[in-house]
Amino acid sequence: SIANLFNLTPGVEGGGAPRGNGLKVGSVEMLLDGISVVDRFGGGVQRVQPGVDTVTLTRKVEAALADIGKTLPPDVKIFELFKQANFIEAAIQNVEEAIRDGAIMVVIVLFLFLLNFRTTAITLTAIPLSFVVTGLYFKFAGISINTMTLGGLAVAIGMVVDDAIVDVENVYRRLRENRHAASPRPVLRVIADASSEVRNSILYATLVIILVFIPLFALGGIEGRLFAPIGVATIVAMIASFIVSLTVIPALSSYLLPQMKSMGDEKDGWLVRLLKGFDLRFILRPSMRHPWVVIVLAALLVAGSFALYPRMGKLFLPDFNEGTSTVNLLSAPGTSLAESNRIGTIAEKLLLGVPEVLSTGRRTGRAELDEHAEGVHYTEIDVDFRKSARSRREILDDIRRQIGQIPGIVMNVGQPISHRLDHLLSGVRAQIAVKIFGPDLDQLRLFAAQAEAAMQGIPGLVDLQIEKQVLIDQLKITVNREKAAAYGLGAGELNDQLEIALNGRIVAQVLEGQRTYNLIVRLNEAARTNPAVIRDILIDTPVGGKVPLALVAEVRESKGPNIINREDVQRRIVVSANVSGRDLGSVVAEMQKTLGQKVHLTGTYFISYEGQFQSQQEATRIIAVLAVFTFAMVFLLLYSHFRSAVIVAPEGYLLTNHHV
């Protein structure tokens, strides 16, 4: 989705609450295909249709708005607030740079080891040819070129030359031996035999790599959608590389290698000779003299690597730097729109005081028909940044300090895409969601307060807050069934009439030109908020009479929760938080230990820990199980070739762990 792609703001550039020009934004909707939702009141392009290229559509929107801007009044300016296309282009550019740098390093390493332009050129043909085949497969399968598919190619760039370099090096060696043989054989026969010698090794190495990447396809949810393209790109590139090594590489070798002058020299390149001498003198001979020392050291290193795993930081996804930020502010439920607007304006001014903040755009409240409907006590501010020497963490900490000056509010600082991922995972716009379930709302609020107090001192935990659930003034109408029955009224019929009077019902439609309006019947605003008037509402009886509501129901003012949230048919309250300066896994582990010691739930009350770490743990379990399966498959694959468990066990272990 493109959240608030553009804002049309009268007289404001870089701040203030957006008040959109509905006609002009609607014009964008009419001009362009691919836009799914246009916010005519907030002045933003909210969402694109599935399958539409975001970057292409963004450019069309920019062109359309540039034309529209020429017709706008002088006090209306168009400014960009958040464009997902910028994040997409930056991510793709970063991966493209990684592929470019990787290719350059491969060229340098190949030339240093081969010290031959022709063999290096033949080997390097595997990279573009493998990527071209992968691109053709993407086109056929309907897969887009995105950050993850390009990431898969970046991972594969060093491996796609493996097959080619093994084949070229063996062909080169055999041709050189054939040149110095007493009775040289035909060149094509030498090349064919040299390629056949290493064909099985190339095939098994390729299959091992493919097996290692297969567990990515078993991941579900967001992690599966993100990492499966990496597996697809890598596997297709490896298969293409294998095919290239069987066909193109021998053909090029037959044309470029036989007539080389360097064939007369039986020596390896100077770097290879140097490394072989070093290996023979300092590694190979000492290892053969003291094999148990090598075995024990290797075992200790393996054991040490496993021992370090529990101490390593754990994250579900790496931190994205989207170039923008989203600041959510929550006031007490029941706060008026005017007060929320005042608080939002103060927050924007504080944000604009941060040196890196370029512009802000604010939404206070969300309409009832919005997918994420919120009361007017909720404010969401999109923040755009300029480049700075400070790190992203320092900037976000500065934002938290600035917004923390406003009393009586809680905040949540994140990023547009990351927030939506969090909301998709746990239903909460935060990395960690501690959900407390139980039947009684008062007890839930008490346990939530205890959990918040216990979590306060945990290092790395920021934006800690309890879901806003407070008691507000309410008007309760309780039907007296006995009195209602005396007038021939049932509780359902009585509630139906009250719903029409207080909530309204569509009874007709009014057609005005090309527009249709619903005609709703209900009491006016003054009557619907006055308990005395509600008590005097006349209720129709089945016999045609009318009776005041006060005779068949009790109408009284009381306190009640502003919202009752349920999940899996149970009431729940959420304590949410984000993480800054520490890894997610260690923070959650400390949080679970602390809550287990300090929050003692009773009866049917229980806690559920959800958010990014839950997905990370689930993905880790799946990969751990599939890693065992993959290791077994690698073992069987190599055993089918070597027919020796003594040879397969260490080789399979090293191959699998190298590629993992």
Side-chain angles (χ1 to χ4, degrees), residues 102-160:
I104 293 173
M105 294 176 66
V106 168
V107 171
I108 294 173
V109 170
L110 285 177
F111 183 75
L112 286 176
F113 276 84
L114 299 177
L115 288 179
N116 188 294
F117 285 106
R118 295 191 183 188
T119 54
T120 302
I122 294 172
T123 304
L124 289 177
T125 57
I127 296 177
L129 289 177
S130 300
F131 285 4
V132 166
V133 173
T134 305
L136 292 175
Y137 174 79
F138 286 173
K139 180 67 175 178
F140 175 77
I143 301 174
S144 65
I145 299 296
N146 53 55
T147 307
M148 307 313 290
T149 52
L150 287 177
L153 296 180
V155 170
I157 195 168
M159 295 187 288
V160 293

Side-chain angles (χ1 to χ4, degrees), residues 250-322:
L252 288 175
S253 299
S254 67
Y255 278 99
L256 299 178
L257 297 185
Q259 305 304 321
M260 289 176 54
K261 294 181 180 179
S262 59
M263 286 290 181
D265 188 1
E266 296 189 42
K267 295 181 180 180
D268 294 318
W270 65 269
L271 180 61
V272 175
R273 294 198 306 270
L274 180 64
L275 292 176
K276 282 184 176 180
F278 179 84
D279 175 55
L280 182 64
R281 183 176 180 182
F282 296 102
I283 300 177
L284 188 58
R285 286 176 179 172
S287 299
M288 297 300 292
R289 292 194 191 103
H290 310 284
W292 286 107
V293 174
V294 177
I295 294 173
V296 171
L297 287 175
L300 289 175
L301 288 173
V302 172
S305 65
F306 282 109
L308 287 175
Y309 176 77
R311 297 178 175 272
M312 294 173 63
K314 298 176 181 64
L315 289 171
F316 174 56
L317 294 173
D319 290 333
F320 298 126
N321 185 1
E322 301 176 28

Side-chain angles (χ1 to χ4, degrees), residues 433-467:
V434 179
K435 297 182 179 180
I436 306 175
F437 294 84
D440 185 76
L441 294 176
D442 292 333
Q443 194 64 38
L444 285 177
R445 287 192 289 270
L446 176 61
F447 286 138
Q450 294 176 359
E452 182 189 35
M455 295 164 62
Q456 286 283 0
I458 298 178
L461 213 58
V462 296
D463 303 336
L464 181 62
Q465 59 184 277
I466 301 177
E467 186 177 45

Side-chain angles (χ1 to χ4, degrees), residues 551-569:
L551 293 180
V552 294
E554 180 186 4
V555 181
R556 58 188 175 87
E557 297 181 66
S558 65
K559 296 283 187 181
N562 66 305
I563 187 172
I564 300 176
N565 289 316
R566 288 183 174 85
E567 197 170 315
D568 295 331
V569 202

Side-chain angles (χ1 to χ4, degrees), residues 32-180:
L32 300 175
D33 292 329
I35 294 178
S36 176
V37 176
V38 174
D39 179 7
R40 291 183 176 84
F41 301 101
V45 179
Q46 294 283 332
R47 194 169 300 114
V48 300
Q49 295 174 358
V52 175
D53 185 274
T54 301
V55 176
T56 303
L57 180 60
T58 301
R59 299 297 167 251
K60 293 180 180 179
V61 172
E62 289 174 335
L65 287 177
D67 292 337
I68 291 172
K70 300 174 183 177
T71 65
L72 294 177
D75 62 339
V76 177
K77 298 182 182 295
I78 301 176
F79 69 97
E80 301 174 4
L81 187 62
F82 169 68
K83 292 193 301 182
Q84 196 181 84
N86 288 347
F87 174 66
I88 294 172
E89 290 179 327
I92 291 177
Q93 182 180 357
N94 290 338
V95 180
E96 288 175 344
E97 291 175 357
I99 293 176
R100 179 202 63 197
D101 296 343
I104 293 173
M105 294 176 66
V106 168
V107 171
I108 294 173
V109 170
L110 285 177
F111 183 75
L112 286 176
F113 276 84
L114 299 177
L115 288 179
N116 188 294
F117 285 106
R118 295 191 183 188
T119 54
T120 302
I122 294 172
T123 304
L124 289 177
T125 57
I127 296 177
L129 289 177
S130 300
F131 285 4
V132 166
V133 173
T134 305
L136 292 175
Y137 174 79
F138 286 173
K139 180 67 175 178
F140 175 77
I143 301 174
S144 65
I145 299 296
N146 53 55
T147 307
M148 307 313 290
T149 52
L150 287 177
L153 296 180
V155 170
I157 195 168
M159 295 187 288
V160 293
V161 297
D162 282 353
D163 299 347
I165 196 172
V166 169
D167 196 46
V168 169
E169 195 277 336
N170 198 55
V171 168
Y172 181 76
R173 182 170 62 90
R174 291 304 186 192
L175 286 174
R176 192 169 56 187
E177 292 174 355
N178 187 62
R179 174 76 66 87
H180 295 85

Side-chain angles (χ1 to χ4, degrees), residues 565-578:
N565 289 316
R566 288 183 174 85
E567 197 170 315
D568 295 331
V569 202
Q570 298 181 86
R571 292 179 174 182
R572 59 100 170 135
I573 191 169
V574 177
V575 182
S576 61
N578 289 321

